Amino acid sequence: MAEIVQQRLEDRIPGLEQLERVGLFTKKEVRLVIKKSTALEYKLHRPMLRKEDFITYIEYEIGVLELIKKRRLRIGYNFKKDEIEFPIMSRISSVFRRATAKWKDDLQLWLSHVAFCKKWNMKTQVSKVFLSLLAIHPDKPALWIMAAKCEMEDRNSSESARHLFLRALRFHPKNKKVYLEYFRMELMHAEKLRRQQKELEQAEMAMVSASVIMCSSLQNKYANDPLTWDYMAKCELEAGLGAEMGAELQSTKEKASDTVRREERSCLVYEEGLKSLQTEAMWTCYATFCWNRFKRKTNVTELKEKVKVLQSTGDADGATRVAVAATKRFSQSVETWSCSLQTLMELGSANVDELFQEALKHVNPKVTLLTSIGSGALEWSASTQSPEETEALFKRGLASTVPAVSMEVKKKYLDWSYTTGGYKKARQTFRSLHEHRPFSKEFFLRMIQIEKEQDSLKMSNIRDYYERALREFGSSDEDLWLDYIKEERGPHGQAENSGSIHWRAMKSLEGECVERFVTKYTLLQTGHI
């Protein structure tokens, strides 16, 4: 017991030193805090636990927080909160959790924890407390309503509130109060959406009105300036963009038609300006606009047809030249790069690797490049080049600064290693990559699957893969935790480990993931999944 208490006291030292360093507490006050904390800690670790000792501990720590708050206001110091207040708040929450785990039926204790979290703006913690409380007391409709209201009003999450009400109705299908509060929540949500829509429409109207006034004013005052007409023409081009964002067009063809209509309106503005301003500068603005719009258009169908004609006539060199030239002309087009790479692969060209590297440099990083370009290049290399050349291509792909590219290459590299070199090669590849971020969840799941396919399965390896995956995705992926629990409950795992995994999941998951985890875990416990 003494060792635990000593460790807890040592954990306090950095925060107390900061309090003294920044002038919020004196040295004497720090010593008094340590003395009082020592006595309180010993009471929480004796064999016969008393609820009153936990409450006294919590009240003392809250008193320290309140004192720090007053001192901050007095001296005007607002820094180092992560190092001073946060450890104290975490400690109080931890003591609350120990107390509610010991005295589960004491609703006042639970609600005191909720009130503390609300007061000190620990919104994520509030959700976790309510979920734990509802797991133990699902028979109390008032608690469901309180939790849902908290999600709606304090966290501004109508989706979480709706999920809680729906779960409440599964437990209390005939409770009028639950139905009434659920209906009220949906009305509040609808009213909120209505207000947001009204504000958006008013803002759009104000922007349109301002734009009309600005353009009219410009036209009246600066009708002889070509830049005025250039600006008004570009305004016409951008006029439909707001509508596109508000409601998605049904098809690519419709989007193209809308763009053509806006371009035509812009051209009409230029032509109107040319009636009264036949100058070189005016023609330059018009010609520049038309050239820039033309450069954005890439007719990939025409490119494919031209390449096919050259291929059918046996002119491989000509087809290659056209394909490479197209990528230089339309260097931002994924379709062009994809078409050109496909052409070079079909011709068996030695320039595929070089062209692939060029594609990685030019295409917008936000585009999922590997889906449309990289996969084909990697598969081509695997089927036509030596293993050394293919591995070199994979390693160049890993060096990409585009996260989507690097993640996809890791997964394909692991697959290729397993296919060509078996389990040993796959393990070697995994070990060489498992510290090189960014990762995809599929990368770890694939290694877990490979391990499970072996005759001599090693559960220690599977645990290692799961732990590494959870470091990356443990705060936002409840399914990963559930899969880990299922593994431990399986024939090769240890069922007693599932409890600690569940506890870690509840601490690590954030927001709505916690609720989804609780729901799915309950279904797992009852044998429904």
Side-chain angles (χ1 to χ4, degrees):
M1 182 176 72
E3 291 179 1
I4 298 173
V5 172
Q6 187 61 34
Q7 181 61 52
R8 292 185 181 278
L9 292 172
E10 288 177 5
D11 291 341
R12 291 170 177 264
I13 298 301
L16 293 171
E17 288 177 345
Q18 281 289 6
L19 282 168
E20 184 181 345
R21 190 177 298 119
V22 302
L24 291 170
F25 276 21
T26 63
K27 194 168 187 177
K28 182 180 179 181
E29 287 172 327
V30 169
R31 284 201 298 269
L32 287 173
V33 170
I34 294 173
K35 183 178 179 181
K36 181 67 174 177
S37 300
T38 303
L40 291 172
E41 286 286 357
Y42 271 108
K43 287 182 180 180
L44 297 193
H45 291 87
R46 57 189 178 186
M48 295 294 292
L49 297 177
R50 297 192 316 151
K51 189 191 302 182
E52 293 74 16
D53 292 333
F54 282 82
I55 294 171
T56 303
Y57 185 107
I58 289 166
E59 288 174 345
Y60 176 75
E61 291 284 19
I62 291 175
V64 173
L65 275 178
E66 295 286 1
L67 181 59
I68 293 171
K69 185 178 179 181
K70 290 178 182 177
R71 296 274 176 91
R72 282 186 179 279
L73 287 171
R74 192 176 71 189
I75 68 174
Y77 184 82
N78 295 308
F79 307 102
K80 303 282 186 182
K81 290 188 177 182
D82 287 348
E83 298 175 38
I84 296 174
E85 279 95 337
F86 184 73
I88 301 174
M89 291 190 290
S90 298
R91 197 157 51 241
I92 293 171
S93 267
S94 176
V95 174
F96 264 122
R97 286 194 298 271
R98 285 183 60 197
T100 51
K102 176 72 174 174
W103 295 281
K104 294 182 175 67
D105 294 329
D106 190 333
L107 290 180
Q108 187 57 48
L109 202 56
W110 284 100
L111 296 178
S112 296
H113 192 185
V114 170
F116 166 75
C117 293
K118 283 186 177 182
K119 181 175 180 179
W120 294 94
N121 201 29
M122 300 169 71
K123 293 182 179 179
T124 303
Q125 194 64 32
V126 173
S127 296
K128 291 184 178 181
V129 174
F130 266 124
L131 287 173
S132 299
L133 173 57
L134 292 171
I136 297 169
H137 298 283
D139 58 323
K140 295 179 173 56
L143 295 179
W144 289 100
I145 294 169
M146 195 183 300
K149 281 186 175 180
C150 177
E151 291 294 330
M152 184 69 183
E153 296 169 7
D154 297 339
R155 301 194 67 204
N156 198 27
S157 175
S158 55
E159 190 64 28
S160 295
R162 184 177 296 112
H163 282 309
L164 281 169
F165 273 122
L166 291 173
R167 287 183 61 202
L169 288 171
R170 287 201 292 269
F171 284 99
H172 307 283
K174 297 180 181 180
N175 189 286
K176 293 180 181 179
K177 183 69 173 174
V178 175
Y179 277 102
L180 184 64
E181 291 296 333
Y182 182 24
F183 184 59
R184 191 177 74 88
M185 186 278 293
E186 291 292 4
L187 285 177
M188 288 173 60
H189 180 56
E191 175 61 18
K192 176 185 169 185
L193 293 178
R194 189 192 65 78
R195 286 199 309 270
Q196 288 177 343
Q197 181 64 27
K198 186 177 179 181
E199 289 169 4
L200 180 62
E201 289 171 358
Q202 289 174 343
E204 286 178 351
M205 288 172 64
M207 287 176 64
V208 170
S209 177
S211 178
V212 169
I213 294 170
M214 189 176 184
C215 288
S216 177
S217 176
L218 283 172
Q219 192 171 1
N220 292 334
K221 291 182 179 180
Y222 306 104
N224 293 325
D225 190 334
L227 292 178
T228 300
W229 295 97
D230 189 49
Y231 173 76
M232 291 194 298
K234 288 175 180 174
C235 284
E236 287 292 336
L237 182 66
E238 296 170 2
L241 294 179
E244 271 189 37
M245 290 190 295
E248 287 190 19
L249 296 172
Q250 293 180 353
S251 64
T252 304
K253 186 177 180 180
E254 191 173 346
K255 288 181 182 180
S257 299
D258 181 71
T259 302
V260 168
R261 284 193 296 269
R262 288 188 279 112
E263 287 175 342
E264 287 173 351
R265 290 199 299 269
S266 297
C267 289
L268 288 174
V269 173
Y270 281 115
E271 288 166 11
E272 182 68 25
L274 284 167
K275 290 178 182 178
S276 59
L277 197 61
Q278 286 277 352
T279 64
E280 181 181 349
M282 186 66 204
W283 279 106
T284 300
C285 287
Y286 192 9
T288 302
F289 171 82
C290 292
W291 174 244
N292 287 336
R293 299 306 300 173
F294 174 75
K295 284 198 298 184
R296 293 171 63 90
K297 300 179 186 296
T298 308
N299 194 333
V300 178
T301 303
E302 190 177 307
L303 170 64
K304 289 179 180 178
E305 288 175 357
K306 188 168 184 178
V307 167
K308 283 181 181 178
V309 169
L310 291 169
Q311 283 182 276
S312 64
T313 60
D315 188 358
D317 290 339
T320 301
R321 284 196 300 273
V322 169
V324 173
T327 60
K328 292 178 180 177
R329 173 70 181 279
F330 307 109
S331 60
Q332 301 298 312
S333 168
V334 175
E335 285 186 289
T336 302
W337 284 103
S338 183
C339 175
S340 299
L341 277 165
Q342 186 64 38
T343 300
L344 265 62
M345 285 187 272
E346 289 174 2
L347 294 171
S349 172
N351 298 326
V352 173
D353 186 12
E354 183 182 346
L355 195 66
F356 174 59
Q357 297 304 319
E358 285 297 310
L360 295 180
K361 295 176 186 176
H362 288 90
V363 177
N364 187 336
K366 293 182 181 178
V367 175
T368 310
L369 186 62
L370 261 292
T371 302
S372 52
I373 297 177
S375 295
L378 293 170
E379 289 167 9
W380 167 83
S381 178
S383 61
T384 62
Q385 294 187 303
S386 67
E388 292 77 15
E389 290 173 312
T390 301
E391 191 154 23
L393 181 61
F394 274 117
K395 288 180 178 177
R396 284 195 291 275
L398 291 171
S400 171
T401 57
V402 183
V405 174
S406 179
M407 289 190 291
E408 187 68 15
V409 168
K410 286 185 181 76
K411 179 175 173 292
K412 290 189 175 294
Y413 189 14
L414 185 62
D415 272 331
W416 175 82
S417 299
Y418 186 50
T419 303
T420 58
Y423 174 72
K424 186 176 180 181
K425 174 68 173 174
R427 277 275 294 171
Q428 181 183 347
T429 300
F430 180 82
R431 283 198 298 269
S432 70
L433 298 176
H434 66 204
E435 296 296 342
H436 296 280
R437 292 173 178 82
F439 298 115
S440 65
K441 175 184 170 183
E442 290 71 24
F443 172 70
F444 295 102
L445 293 182
R446 179 59 182 136
M447 193 61 225
I448 290 169
Q449 186 59 40
I450 290 171
E451 185 70 46
K452 289 166 73 174
E453 290 173 5
Q454 308 311 305
D455 294 333
S456 55
L457 181 151
K458 292 184 178 178
M459 193 61 195
S460 59
N461 287 346
I462 289 180
R463 290 191 185 103
D464 178 56
Y465 305 146
Y466 271 112
E467 292 294 340
R468 292 182 182 278
L470 289 169
R471 285 180 212 166
E472 309 297 323
F473 311 105
S475 64
S476 59
D477 194 321
E478 69 279 2
D479 289 331
L480 201 55
W481 290 100
L482 288 164
D483 289 342
Y484 194 5
I485 290 171
K486 288 177 189 175
E487 290 290 352
E488 289 292 5
R489 290 182 170 186
H492 301 285
Q494 295 178 341
E496 59 269 24
N497 291 345
S498 59
S500 63
I501 297 171
H502 175 273
W503 180 79
R504 287 170 55 204
M506 292 295 292
K507 285 187 64 179
S508 301
L509 288 167
E510 298 176 354
E512 295 177 4
C513 296
V514 181
E515 183 186 343
R516 292 197 296 268
F517 175 77
V518 171
T519 302
K520 292 177 182 178
Y521 185 75
T522 303
L523 292 173
L524 179 65
Q525 290 282 74
T526 55
H528 289 88
I529 59 171

